[in-house]
Amino acid sequence: MLGNLVVIIISMVLVNNYPLAQFLGICPFLGVSKDLDSAKGMGWAVVFVMVVATAATWPLQQVLNHFGIGYLQTVVFILVIAFLVQLIEMFMKKSMPALYTALGVYLPLITTNCTVLGVCISNIDNNYGYIESLVNAFGAGLGYLFGMLLMAGVRTKLVDEENFPSPFRGFPIVLVTAAIMSLGFMGFSGMFS
């Protein structure tokens, strides 16, 4: 059992990394990865939201299935995620104003961050139990954080470079960098079956 949980975490961090292998959650991934502090704050916020959203949505899915209305999954999950993000946003505004300001518009974007919805739905699609679902969400969040920190580290070096051709300066080089990082993560595919 423990070995299976470790495999789930490693798989979500390296093989099934949401922004770099599955291309989910790209907007905040590219927008907040300008500096390490913002990337770290956003990454940990996504980890927290993923785990809490999974803790709330997995039992709700069981209730929906019990009443034969499992087709309402996406609507119910989006409402739950939006509610949780609003609570986190209010908490951060009150207790961590510097991080709240640094994240800016990207904090409310966690509501529509498809990685959070994606992990909640993939838990159901993979027929994970409750503990496996929580571990999968934690691993997916760690993978998102890992990708954010990698991208932020690279972007801090890209800002100082003026050796790029003019069409690649600014956001285009960020997209190229993300594509190259994604190619690197493709090397992990097939690591687990």
Side-chain angles (χ1 to χ4, degrees):
M1 177 71 176
L2 182 62
N4 187 34
L5 299 178
V6 171
V7 168
I8 289 173
I9 289 175
I10 294 170
S11 168
M12 293 310 295
V13 171
L14 297 176
V15 180
N16 298 315
N17 187 289
Y18 275 105
L20 294 171
Q22 297 186 28
F23 310 109
L24 294 173
I26 295 296
C27 180
F29 172 73
L30 296 175
V32 181
S33 61
K34 292 177 186 171
D35 66 271
L36 284 170
D37 289 335
S38 295
K40 184 172 57 173
M42 178 66 150
W44 282 115
V46 169
V47 170
F48 182 74
V49 170
M50 280 185 179
V51 172
V52 172
T54 296
T57 57
W58 192 90
L60 281 173
Q61 181 65 41
Q62 307 314 309
V63 171
L64 293 174
N65 289 344
H66 177 74
F67 289 108
I69 53 175
Y71 56 88
L72 292 175
Q73 174 190 65
T74 303
V75 174
V76 170
F77 285 12
I78 288 173
L79 291 173
V80 168
I81 292 166
F83 175 74
L84 291 172
V85 170
Q86 289 302 312
L87 286 178
I88 292 167
E89 187 175 357
M90 289 186 298
F91 173 76
M92 286 180 74
K93 187 175 185 179
K94 181 84 170 165
S95 63
M96 297 178 246
L99 181 59
Y100 175 80
T101 305
L103 294 176
V105 70
Y106 295 102
L107 186 59
L109 280 179
I110 295 177
T111 302
T112 58
N113 189 338
C114 51
T115 59
V116 178
L117 180 62
V119 77
C120 292
I121 291 175
S122 84
N123 290 329
I124 305 303
D125 290 347
N126 290 328
N127 293 319
Y128 286 151
Y130 190 67
I131 299 299
E132 291 173 320
S133 295
L134 291 173
V135 169
N136 185 52
F138 182 70
L142 286 181
Y144 196 87
L145 172 65
F146 181 60
M148 291 279 293
L149 292 176
L150 284 176
M151 183 59 129
V154 171
R155 283 185 77 177
T156 56
K157 297 296 181 187
L158 288 177
V159 171
D160 298 335
E161 297 292 325
E162 290 296 324
N163 298 327
F164 299 114
S166 60
F168 285 100
R169 289 187 187 142
F171 200 66
I173 195 65
V174 173
L175 292 175
V176 170
T177 302
I180 292 171
M181 288 173 66
S182 293
L183 288 172
F185 272 77
M186 286 177 62
F188 295 114
S189 64
M191 191 172 170
F192 300 106
S193 57

